[in-house]
Amino acid sequence: MTKTTLLLASIAVLTQSFPSFAGVYKCEMPGGRLAYQSQPCPITATKAIVTELEQRVEIAEPVEPLKDELIEPGDSTLPEEKPKTWLEKRAEERVVKDAARKERYEATVKEARDELKFAELIRKKQIAIDMKESHVLASWGSPSSTNQTITANGVREQWVYKRFYRGYYTGTEYVYFQNGKVVAIQKD
């Protein structure tokens, strides 16, 4: 054989995959405690069992459980949840408090922006959706008449503004409130 052929044959043999075996030692220690390890049992072990395992990993497709095998949330066969430490409880409380604080902050910022926007509209004698009753009163004044409806969803009001220009009737405008905020504006 030539050196090249011998070299190629050696490479081919070395690159083939052979399963390797490893032993798992089950050792019964003094006091009845069991230990599983990859090294031989110590001399103090009362019983030793060696299991040869093939170290070859095969990836299997995930198996969908049958409907009969599904575990329901209230099933008593579920393992019990480990009790939380005080540190874990404190961390959860902090997350909840931080979320509430962020929500309050965002609501305050939105309210401040709305107030600035509504102040500009009041200066121009205009109204907009989401204005409070006090904003409408500041912008348009007192209504000619009001109607109120109480429902399961809250109080609904209709403010009627009859418009006159130099003594002549020019039309009617309706402002609808739901729980104290403008939800609709209608012009005649």
Side-chain angles (χ1 to χ4, degrees), residues 72-106:
E72 294 300 320
D75 194 351
S76 62
T77 60
L78 285 175
E80 294 207 14
E81 190 173 317
K82 185 176 111 180
K84 294 180 181 169
T85 65
W86 69 270
L87 191 58
E88 291 170 329
K89 289 177 185 176
R90 178 74 173 117
E92 286 179 358
E93 290 171 2
R94 179 166 288 184
V95 167
V96 170
K97 284 182 181 178
D98 288 347
R101 186 178 301 121
K102 182 179 179 184
E103 190 175 311
R104 283 193 309 270
Y105 171 76
E106 289 172 355

Side-chain angles (χ1 to χ4, degrees), residues 7-174:
L7 180 64
L8 289 175
S10 302
I11 291 173
V13 168
L14 291 175
T15 58
Q16 288 186 6
S17 64
F18 294 101
S20 61
F21 292 92
V24 175
Y25 297 88
K26 177 180 176 183
C27 308
E28 188 174 326
M29 304 303 233
R33 184 175 64 88
L34 290 178
Y36 294 90
Q37 54 194 41
S38 61
Q39 298 175 352
C41 298
I43 297 173
T44 58
T46 57
K47 187 176 179 183
I49 300 171
V50 179
T51 306
E52 294 292 330
L53 296 176
E54 183 176 336
Q55 291 182 337
R56 180 177 285 172
V57 177
E58 293 182 21
I59 299 174
E61 293 294 320
V63 178
E64 290 292 324
L66 299 175
K67 288 188 178 184
D68 297 344
E69 295 176 354
L70 292 176
I71 299 174
E72 294 300 320
D75 194 351
S76 62
T77 60
L78 285 175
E80 294 207 14
E81 190 173 317
K82 185 176 111 180
K84 294 180 181 169
T85 65
W86 69 270
L87 191 58
E88 291 170 329
K89 289 177 185 176
R90 178 74 173 117
E92 286 179 358
E93 290 171 2
R94 179 166 288 184
V95 167
V96 170
K97 284 182 181 178
D98 288 347
R101 186 178 301 121
K102 182 179 179 184
E103 190 175 311
R104 283 193 309 270
Y105 171 76
E106 289 172 355
T108 303
V109 168
K110 182 187 180 313
E111 189 175 321
R113 285 184 182 145
D114 287 348
E115 286 296 323
L116 288 173
K117 179 176 79 172
F118 295 153
E120 182 63 23
L121 289 172
I122 290 169
R123 190 181 64 74
K124 295 178 181 178
K125 301 289 185 195
Q126 298 174 349
I127 63 170
I129 302 296
D130 283 338
M131 275 187 159
K132 296 176 185 173
E133 293 176 354
S134 59
H135 296 136
V136 175
L137 285 172
S139 184
W140 282 7
S142 298
S144 305
S145 64
T146 60
N147 300 310
Q148 187 178 54
T149 307
I150 300 173
T151 66
N153 296 329
V155 178
R156 188 168 176 98
E157 284 189 72
Q158 176 191 48
W159 288 9
V160 181
Y161 287 90
K162 292 191 179 187
R163 299 295 185 191
F164 295 92
Y165 182 72
R166 294 188 182 181
Y168 295 101
Y169 174 74
T170 58
T172 305
E173 293 176 303
Y174 303 92

